[in-house]
Amino acid sequence: MLKKKFLPAFHGLRDAWGHPAVRIQIILGILAVIAGFVLKLTILEWAFVVFAIGLVIGAEVFNTCIEKLCDLHSTEYDHRIEVIKDMSAGGVLIAALTALVIAVMILLEHLN
């Protein structure tokens, strides 16, 4: 039963890995985890880091899905599709900036 529920999600993650933007976010997340081990984060700091990584990767996967859906609709230029894609990318930017603020706050705490 669980296999039927989770298998499509794992297939989706495998497919998402094929997109450079998603792959970059995953690699950056792995680097953040390595930095966390080097800095010896507290459990609360780890919670924020893991949340931020998940937020950014999830946003990037959704952004990739939205872009693919838009491309299915039309491959010709359409201002409405451009706006949709830009807004979706803006969502990723918000997630990435949030993660950056979390990282800076944690890093400054460990440098003091």
Side-chain angles (χ1 to χ4, degrees):
M1 178 71 162
L2 284 178
K3 186 176 179 180
K4 281 179 114 176
K5 297 281 185 188
F6 287 103
L7 198 56
F10 287 118
H11 288 163
L13 291 176
R14 181 195 63 219
D15 293 340
W17 175 256
H19 295 274
V22 174
R23 203 168 33 246
I24 288 168
Q25 297 300 350
I26 292 171
I27 291 167
L28 290 173
I30 291 168
L31 292 174
V33 168
I34 292 169
F37 281 116
V38 170
L39 293 174
K40 297 181 179 153
L41 301 184
T42 66
I43 190 72
L44 185 59
E45 290 169 333
W46 272 116
F48 280 107
V49 168
V50 170
F51 175 79
I53 291 169
L55 179 72
V56 173
I57 293 172
E60 191 62 66
V61 169
F62 282 125
N63 178 54
T64 300
C65 290
I66 289 168
E67 288 180 357
K68 287 181 135 322
L69 279 170
C70 288
D71 292 344
L72 279 175
H73 177 71
S74 174
T75 56
E76 296 178 16
Y77 176 79
D78 184 329
H79 177 70
R80 297 169 300 175
I81 290 176
E82 179 183 30
V83 169
I84 292 167
K85 286 182 172 185
D86 288 351
M87 289 174 65
S88 182
V92 176
L93 180 61
I94 291 169
L97 290 175
T98 300
L100 179 63
V101 169
I102 290 170
V104 168
M105 291 169 64
I106 291 171
L107 183 61
L108 288 176
E109 184 67 26
H110 281 268
L111 291 178
N112 287 333

